[in-house]
Amino acid sequence: MTFEKIKDIAVKLGINQSELNSILQSNDVILVPQFRKNVFAYVDTQNSIASYLNTNNIKVGFIENDDVETHELFHDWRDIGTIVISVAVLPLVINLISSYTYDAIKANKNIKIKTTIITIDKNNNIREVIEDFEGDVESFNKLIKNIGNE
Amino acid sequence: MNRLDNIVSWINKLELKDLQKPLSKILVHKLNIWLSRVTIDEDLLNQVWCIKHAGYVKISYLEAFSKIQNKEYRSAWNDLVDVEVMSNNLLRLMSKDYQEKLGIINILNISQQLMEMIVADKSRLIFFSAEIKVKYYTCSICGLQFKRIPHCGHFPGCLYSGKFCKSVAGESEIIGASHVRSPRRKKCLVTEIEGIPFNKLFNFYHLDELMKGLSSPLQNWSIDNDIIVKDPRGDRRHFSIQPFNKTIYNKRCVLKLKERRYFENYEPQAISTIKSNGSLKMSAVLFTN
């Protein structure tokens, strides 16, 4: 998902450019809702990772209005959706996501991850670092460790 | 040895024959007596929660084992799922010392192996899992309502003064249901397909043979992975059913399942060996297409 698509989602939810910028600048991590079953919704795994990051003092924001729903998934994928991470906290968030997925794999070795990761700096420069990843935890952790080392 | 170690030792000594007693009640009673004699603090209450649930893990495992012996495989599956969920929580929350004393990892491993054996024929392993729309959640500790992140300072999956925090789903609605290989809730295993009951859906010959060979419920054993025949047809398939309707489900899913050749006549092709780390060896019939 490109950043233009995130802007589109914001517009569809009635969030204008300045409100979106404010959400982006005032949070360390932004989770983007998904279009499922004809509505915008966050899935339970997105809420779960948001809680996990929040526990570890990362400020998490959501692009939403009152109509955005929450869906509890039927399958055991860890669907994190699109996640926008501020460059300032990138290494820390990468470590936290890695330990979150490590905890998940302890409960079920066959767990799959689905996500897109975008970074944003203080000048609103956007970079898509992981695009539409869908795979096992081991490959995902290898990928995100490379991002952390860059 | 302090009194809490006595309770740990009591849990470790539990055997199949003890299942006739109300073990959960006895365990809670023992822990309450112990708590009435000590100065209570948050860490202690959390420790007691962990030991109580380690006791439940052992009791659920013994119940599952006993049910498999009595050929109540479906009910045993539910108990093993409980063991898996509780053990995973304990591995996060319990001190390493008590994890080792109570053998949590060992019980979890053996439970997962038994689950593998119950549904050894993976081609027929299908879960029917619901997708749910939730309007809000409530914190199980303080009752605060929230939509995404709890702002009360309690986080789901953590212990607070001996209470396990959960986000309890408020107003909810089923918006769909699907067949999956890897479900969110493992208890939703499909137990009957086209009138074939659970006990005939899977082949339990090898599991029954294993049960005959084990001298105790916690005896270690392993499956020879070289001999197990893997399902070559991918790891996940699901059929969305929208809207959720039992009649439509029955018609559509059975058709889909037929298309996917789930109902082929499976013939035993290999005589295999299940190894234990002791002297146990036995033959088992494995099924493949």
Side-chain angles (χ1 to χ4, degrees):
Chain A
M1 179 185 278
T2 62
F3 196 69
E4 289 306 314
K5 283 184 186 167
I6 296 175
K7 282 183 189 166
D8 282 350
I9 291 172
V11 168
K12 280 175 187 161
L13 291 173
I15 297 165
N16 63 34
Q17 184 67 48
S18 67
E19 285 171 326
L20 180 64
N21 284 346
S22 155
I23 295 171
L24 291 170
Q25 292 304 326
S26 57
N27 292 288
D28 300 321
V29 166
I30 315 290
L31 294 175
V32 181
Q34 306 180 22
F35 193 68
R36 337 180 59 248
K37 301 191 192 295
N38 295 324
V39 289
F40 282 106
Y42 282 99
V43 298
D44 50 356
T45 39
Q46 286 180 291
N47 287 347
S48 148
I49 197 157
S51 279
Y52 183 78
L53 294 173
N54 202 252
T55 322
N56 289 285
N57 301 319
I58 298 292
K59 218 172 164 194
V60 184
F62 300 92
I63 300 171
E64 67 172 332
N65 60 18
D66 289 346
D67 297 331
V68 176
E69 298 180 349
T70 301
H71 293 172
E72 294 261 342
L73 293 176
F74 52 85
H75 55 70
D76 203 15
W77 281 51
R78 290 294 183 269
D79 187 347
I80 304 170
T82 301
I83 180 165
V84 185
I85 305 172
S86 163
V87 170
V89 292
L90 186 63
L92 178 58
V93 173
I94 292 296
N95 272 338
L96 288 170
I97 295 177
S98 176
S99 49
Y100 172 82
T101 52
Y102 179 72
D103 277 351
I105 204 173
K106 272 201 278 187
N108 182 351
K109 288 167 203 156
N110 301 318
I111 265 175
K112 298 277 194 296
I113 307 280
K114 191 176 169 191
T115 191
T116 292
I117 295 182
I118 293 171
T119 59
I120 182 166
D121 66 16
K122 58 182 177 183
N123 300 319
N124 275 1
N125 292 320
I126 307 293
R127 199 175 138 222
E128 195 161 334
V129 284
I130 293 181
E131 191 185 346
D132 295 332
F133 177 87
E134 231 181 88
D136 59 58
V137 173
E138 205 181 324
S139 342
F140 177 69
N141 279 341
K142 271 184 200 165
L143 255 180
I144 59 170
K145 269 176 192 162
N146 286 338
I147 300 168
N149 294 334
E150 274 175 20
Chain B
M1 187 187 278
N2 67 32
R3 180 87 182 166
L4 206 50
D5 280 342
N6 282 343
I7 297 173
V8 169
S9 159
W10 177 81
I11 293 170
N12 282 335
K13 283 178 188 161
L14 288 176
E15 290 177 21
L16 284 174
K17 62 178 178 4
D18 297 319
L19 287 175
Q20 291 157 353
K21 302 174 200 164
L23 292 178
S24 301
K25 281 185 185 170
I26 296 171
L27 174 64
V28 171
H29 182 65
K30 279 176 183 285
L31 286 167
N32 285 341
I33 290 176
W34 184 80
L35 278 172
S36 68
R37 291 175 185 168
V38 294
T39 318
I40 295 169
D41 62 30
E42 175 154 11
D43 285 347
L44 193 74
L45 286 170
N46 292 345
Q47 203 176 30
V48 167
W49 184 93
C50 288
I51 288 175
K52 183 163 79 179
H53 283 78
Y56 291 162
V57 163
K58 180 75 180 279
I59 294 164
S60 295
Y61 175 74
L62 290 175
E63 279 174 354
F65 192 90
S66 162
K67 283 173 185 170
I68 295 171
Q69 282 182 327
N70 296 326
K71 302 192 188 302
E72 297 165 30
Y73 307 107
R74 183 63 182 85
S75 182
W77 172 270
N78 281 353
D79 287 335
L80 291 170
V81 172
D82 285 339
V83 170
E84 192 180 50
V85 172
M86 285 192 282
S87 303
N88 280 318
N89 283 331
L90 289 173
L91 291 179
R92 274 190 308 110
L93 301 167
M94 198 181 214
S95 69
K96 289 264 183 266
D97 182 35
Y98 275 120
Q99 280 180 27
E100 279 168 23
K101 279 182 186 169
L102 287 152
I104 299 296
I105 291 177
N106 190 34
I107 295 177
L108 175 63
N109 288 342
I110 297 179
S111 298
Q112 286 175 334
Q113 281 179 311
L114 280 179
M115 287 166 89
E116 285 277 312
M117 292 289 276
I118 289 177
V119 290
D121 183 354
K122 293 287 181 289
S123 60
R124 292 181 177 197
L125 176 62
I126 311 165
F127 298 87
F128 189 50
S129 186
E131 187 165 348
I132 301 159
K133 181 172 95 183
V134 181
K135 274 202 173 162
Y136 62 87
Y137 295 92
T138 306
C139 170
S140 65
I141 304 284
C142 65
L144 183 96
Q145 280 187 11
F146 62 94
K147 198 171 176 188
R148 312 224 173 277
I149 302 176
H151 293 292
C152 51
H154 302 124
F155 289 98
C158 297
L159 282 177
Y160 298 93
S161 298
K163 286 181 183 167
F164 185 75
C165 179
K166 294 177 200 168
S167 45
V168 182
E171 222 174 296
S172 311
E173 182 190 328
I174 293 178
I175 51 173
S178 299
H179 279 112
V180 283
R181 290 291 186 142
S182 179
R184 182 60 50 91
R185 295 156 279 272
K186 278 191 180 172
K187 284 190 183 177
C188 59
L189 181 60
V190 168
T191 54
E192 190 178 314
I193 299 177
E194 253 197 347
I196 305 169
F198 189 79
N199 274 18
K200 288 187 179 169
L201 209 54
F202 295 94
N203 183 290
F204 299 105
Y205 170 79
H206 45 307
L207 182 58
D208 293 339
E209 290 297 296
L210 175 73
M211 285 290 135
K212 285 180 208 163
L214 291 175
S215 59
S216 81
L218 287 172
Q219 183 184 344
N220 283 320
W221 53 274
S222 63
I223 303 166
D224 190 332
N225 286 322
D226 295 337
I227 303 169
I228 291 287
V229 181
K230 287 183 183 171
D231 176 16
R233 290 170 295 180
D235 61 341
R236 187 172 81 116
R237 62 199 78 219
H238 72 263
F239 318 112
S240 273
I241 298 116
Q242 182 77 319
F244 178 65
N245 176 310
K246 204 179 172 190
T247 318
I248 294 172
Y249 149 62
N250 282 336
K251 283 180 186 164
R252 285 195 193 164
C253 294
V254 167
L255 279 172
K256 290 268 187 187
L257 292 170
K258 273 182 176 168
E259 283 168 19
R260 300 268 183 169
R261 299 189 303 148
Y262 271 98
F263 292 97
E264 284 175 350
N265 291 322
Y266 282 72
E267 295 295 333
Q269 284 192 355
I271 300 295
S272 177
T273 304
I274 295 167
K275 291 177 184 173
S276 82
N277 61 352
S279 57
L280 174 69
K281 280 197 175 182
M282 66 184 65
S283 66
V285 182
L286 292 174
F287 288 75
T288 177
N289 58 340

